[in-house]
Amino acid sequence: MVDGGAQEPRREVDFVDADHWIDIFQLSARWRSGPEWNAFLEELDKEQAPSHLNTCNSSGLFHVVSQDKLTVSYVGSQHHGHDVGIIQADCPVPTRRAAYYFEMTVKNSGVKGQTSIGFTHQQYKMRRQPGWETNSCGYHGDDGNLYRGQGKGEPFGPRFGTGDTVGSGINFISQVFFFTKNGELVGSVPKEIRSNLYPTVAVHSQNEEVTVNFGNQPFLFDVESFIAEERFKQQQIIEKLPLPANVGHKIVRSYLLHYGYQDTLDSFDMASENTFPPISMAQDNVLNEQGDMYALQHRKILRQFIKNGEIDSAFQKLKEWYPQVLKDDMSAICFLLHSQRFIEYIRANNLECAVTYARAELAKFFASKSFSRLLQEIVALLAYGDPSDSCVGYFLDADQREFVADAVNAVVLSTNPEIEDAKSVLQSRLEKLLRQLTVCSLLRRQLRSDEGEVFYLHRELQNNRLGARG
């Protein structure tokens, strides 16, 4: 297995013939460990979120902000409509999520109760209420109206004043602004603004005072349940899409065929024999199994040998059945098999044999830039009294054997004389569909100005697995 924290080796391809070649190291990404995936996703999801009010970009003549930068009070005299005490958060709304939300509690509604909450863009005129200018939206307390870039408001919800907590959020799933009062949803409007937006509050008459909560304290509104409900709505829409009743069955079957899981396939067929209707001619053409049926028994045997750590037996059968894949003793598949044999010696705590085998079969690969970095990590297993508990202990995981078995499975499939594209052996139809799903999700997000949760297949599978356990 290629460590997610290490640099992946330069691509080395296995040539089956002049026209057929495959890059078996593409399979390594499938076998990142759980901690590696979690660290990877955490890094991708890093995004600054608002934590306090920005005292540098505000109408400072008309308000004063507390030391913790979470409370703002009006100190102006309000001679005209531009005497607004408006202030933005310290950074824009984070967009790699299903929704963003913050709250404001009115501690004192002052003389006229003209407090407001909403979103504005970075260059917003800091003398105007949110919603009075373009690229902004604001819910106002004195009239309960919603303002969306015009001086004239539209009826929206109840007024709010002293003691009330109002919230403002962006639902990136459905692309709407939504507002709450005292923990209850007031309503929503389409989000038609595409620029970066900043959480914004404003005070506009004497003695008005509000405190904001950017998530440092529990929200009055249950935003997590709100997001869960929105996701459920989306899932219902997806589940209503029409699909042939047995297409899922055929895709799973093709996956088992592709990877040579013959025993599982036989059990799967037996269990579903009376459950699914016969496959139609059209679907049969789309999901033609002839290519995946190729050398099924051989691939099953080879996979079992490797999963059991019997690398010598796997070598012997490959030489007997498919000598062409071992013709080049400096190929990627030879490197993986020799490396795995060395790893099995380490697993058995047979260090003397491991050293002897490394000198005889692995030393030559140090001359290859494609393998030297990875090989250094593999032979580093010798340096630890308990290699399984070391920084390179992942080589002793069952996933490493699976990776090597997948690589062998791929090179065997590539020897099929009927194959049109040797690269196709690296992925089953199920995996190709999942890749297409990922691409479609990315394109959909681009159409929404790159707003909303980023689709990570691994996270979705993990969430579904946890949900099934629950």
Side-chain angles (χ1 to χ4, degrees):
M1 184 175 77
V2 178
D3 179 15
Q7 181 179 350
E8 194 169 315
R10 184 178 63 82
R11 297 303 192 193
E12 182 75 14
V13 297
D14 271 11
F15 288 85
V16 178
D17 57 41
D19 299 316
H20 293 157
W21 60 271
I22 57 173
D23 177 6
I24 57 178
F25 275 106
Q26 288 185 18
L27 296 166
S28 63
R30 297 178 64 240
W31 300 116
R32 279 185 172 136
S33 69
E36 287 169 355
W37 270 116
N38 292 336
F40 172 72
L41 295 179
E42 184 178 341
E43 183 65 28
L44 287 179
D45 279 339
K46 275 186 178 179
E47 195 175 19
Q48 186 179 5
S51 61
H52 59 270
L53 296 170
N54 181 6
T55 56
C56 297
N57 184 27
S58 64
S59 53
L61 293 175
F62 300 99
H63 69 246
V64 61
V65 180
S66 62
Q67 279 192 327
D68 62 5
K69 298 183 180 181
L70 295 175
T71 298
V72 57
S73 305
Y74 190 83
V75 295
S77 56
Q78 195 204 10
H79 293 301
H80 49 70
H82 289 275
D83 297 341
V84 180
I86 183 172
I87 187 166
Q88 295 175 330
D90 60 311
C91 68
V93 169
T95 59
R96 293 181 180 178
R97 53 181 67 189
Y100 173 78
Y101 178 77
F102 76 107
E103 288 182 341
M104 171 187 85
T105 298
V106 181
K107 300 177 73 174
N108 190 334
S109 59
V111 176
K112 295 185 178 180
Q114 293 178 325
T115 59
S116 62
I117 184 172
F119 296 97
T120 58
H121 67 93
Q122 187 175 17
Q123 312 310 309
Y124 194 74
K125 294 180 181 179
M126 303 308 286
R127 298 282 294 275
R128 302 283 284 166
Q129 287 268 13
W132 281 3
E133 300 288 336
T134 58
N135 293 325
S136 69
C137 182
Y139 177 30
H140 293 208
D142 60 333
D143 55 14
N145 285 353
L146 187 73
Y147 293 77
R148 292 191 282 169
Q150 302 177 16
K152 184 179 180 180
E154 54 193 273
F156 182 69
R159 299 177 182 182
F160 55 85
T162 303
D164 289 326
T165 296
V166 289
S168 181
I170 303 176
N171 180 345
F172 292 115
I173 297 175
S174 56
Q175 287 291 297
V176 299
F177 292 114
F178 66 95
F179 297 87
T180 68
K181 178 183 176 183
N182 296 331
E184 300 294 330
L185 184 66
V186 173
S188 61
V189 293
K191 177 182 174 293
E192 299 170 345
I193 307 171
R194 297 304 177 196
S195 62
N196 286 339
L197 294 174
Y198 286 71
T200 305
V201 297
V203 287
H204 197 187
S205 72
Q206 290 179 350
N207 299 323
E208 288 179 3
E209 182 177 347
V210 299
T211 298
V212 292
N213 177 12
F214 291 117
N216 48 311
Q217 299 293 332
F219 291 127
L220 198 58
F221 177 66
D222 189 351
V223 68
E224 295 300 327
S225 294
F226 173 78
I227 293 173
E229 185 177 345
E230 289 299 306
R231 287 188 176 132
F232 180 69
K233 290 177 183 177
Q234 291 293 307
Q235 187 63 34
Q236 284 184 313
I237 293 173
I238 294 171
E239 290 177 356
K240 289 179 181 178
L241 296 175
L243 288 174
N246 55 350
V247 69
H249 167 262
K250 292 295 292 184
I251 291 172
V252 172
R253 193 174 192 280
S254 71
Y255 176 88
L256 298 175
L257 273 173
H258 178 86
Y259 284 105
Y261 295 119
Q262 187 174 12
D263 293 341
T264 305
L265 176 66
D266 292 341
S267 299
F268 182 72
D269 284 342
M270 186 178 299
S272 57
E273 184 176 2
N274 299 319
T275 306
F276 294 94
I279 194 76
S280 68
M281 183 70 70
Q283 290 182 44
D284 195 40
N285 290 335
V286 173
L287 297 172
N288 192 313
E289 295 180 344
Q290 292 303 312
D292 288 332
M293 289 291 294
Y294 175 77
L296 179 59
Q297 183 66 18
H298 286 175
R299 290 187 289 119
K300 168 196 168 181
I301 293 171
L302 289 168
R303 178 174 291 278
Q304 199 59 53
F305 279 145
I306 295 169
K307 288 182 68 174
N308 291 338
E310 301 174 39
I311 309 302
D312 291 335
S313 298
F315 256 125
Q316 180 182 348
K317 289 302 181 183
L318 277 173
K319 290 176 182 177
E320 177 184 342
W321 295 333
Y322 310 100
Q324 66 269 42
V325 305
L326 300 178
K327 187 176 181 180
D328 179 7
D329 63 357
M330 289 294 290
S331 66
I333 196 64
C334 285
F335 168 74
L336 285 177
L337 284 167
H338 283 307
S339 297
Q340 192 61 35
R341 186 65 190 95
F342 170 82
I343 291 169
E344 297 302 336
Y345 278 128
I346 297 293
R347 188 192 298 273
N349 200 29
N350 193 338
L351 301 186
E352 184 176 349
C353 287
V355 171
T356 301
Y357 191 84
R359 288 172 177 169
E361 301 294 348
L362 289 180
K364 59 188 176 185
F365 290 104
F366 275 112
S368 171
K369 292 182 179 179
S370 303
F371 305 126
S372 58
R373 175 73 177 264
L374 183 57
L375 185 55
Q376 288 175 10
E377 295 186 6
I378 292 172
V379 298
L381 289 166
L382 289 167
Y384 298 93
D386 182 6
S388 63
D389 194 35
S390 69
C391 61
V392 289
Y394 56 86
F395 286 116
L396 300 174
D397 293 343
D399 284 351
Q400 169 66 17
R401 287 177 173 175
E402 287 281 3
F403 166 47
V404 176
D406 285 351
V408 170
N409 182 78
V411 295
V412 171
L413 282 173
S414 71
T415 65
N416 183 355
E418 303 297 324
I419 197 171
E420 295 181 359
D421 180 12
K423 297 178 186 178
S424 66
V425 304
L426 292 171
Q427 298 170 349
S428 65
R429 290 179 178 86
L430 174 60
E431 290 162 316
K432 291 172 185 175
L433 282 172
L434 292 174
R435 280 178 174 249
Q436 291 174 1
L437 172 62
T438 301
V439 171
C440 289
S441 299
L442 291 173
L443 290 174
R444 182 170 177 262
R445 190 172 185 274
Q446 286 179 5
L447 293 174
R448 295 181 170 184
S449 303
D450 288 330
E451 293 181 343
E453 285 182 301
V454 180
F455 179 84
Y456 300 127
L457 179 61
H458 173 78
R459 178 163 56 197
E460 296 299 320
L461 295 175
Q462 286 289 97
N463 290 342
N464 288 337
R465 186 178 299 120
L466 293 173
R469 288 175 181 173

